[in-house]
Amino acid sequence: MRERAKLYIDKRVDQSDGSILEIVIWKLPNPTAERPHGYKYRLNYSLPDGTTLVRYDNETGKGDHLHIRAKEYPYTFTTPEQVIIDFINDIKNNEGQL
């Protein structure tokens, strides 16, 4: 029987200003070449219309990276706890620009 990924966290908060904060992290059964740390994740802070304000993810073919508005930057994933901290800090640190 093939092992399945395990949901680590799945949280969505609809903010009073209409923005959406979502954190989804999966623990993979085994590390892969694209995800040597063994996690698949998407942390997203967006406007109600879907416009990305801050997003961290590791979609297939792109590896670990983050977005601040339309700009994309490399990201080094270490732990699920740290990516959440980094995500929240980027939201706070870019508040005036978002």
Side-chain angles (χ1 to χ4, degrees):
M1 185 172 177
R2 187 174 158 200
E3 278 189 82
R4 298 175 60 137
K6 293 181 181 155
L7 189 60
Y8 180 84
I9 187 171
D10 185 355
K11 180 134 181 108
R12 177 183 165 129
V13 178
D14 295 302
Q15 306 287 332
S16 59
D17 65 359
S19 62
I20 301 161
L21 190 141
E22 186 177 25
I23 298 173
V24 180
I25 301 175
W26 291 88
K27 173 71 173 127
L28 303 175
N30 299 297
T32 66
E34 281 199 320
R35 297 179 183 103
H37 44 67
Y39 289 90
K40 175 150 177 61
Y41 60 91
R42 180 184 74 254
L43 297 85
N44 191 49
Y45 177 55
S46 63
L47 297 175
D49 67 3
T51 301
T52 295
L53 299 175
V54 177
R55 183 174 74 235
Y56 281 63
D57 67 289
N58 61 346
E59 70 183 84
T60 301
K62 294 189 87 176
D64 301 306
H65 62 284
L66 68 101
H67 306 258
I68 305 288
R69 286 270 185 183
K71 293 188 179 182
E72 186 175 310
Y73 304 93
Y75 178 70
T76 301
F77 181 95
T78 55
T79 66
E81 296 81 12
Q82 189 62 52
V83 74
I84 293 169
I85 290 167
D86 293 343
F87 173 65
I88 298 300
N89 283 339
D90 270 342
I91 292 170
K92 288 178 183 176
N93 293 338
N94 289 284
E95 227 167 8
Q97 301 165 29
L98 302 174

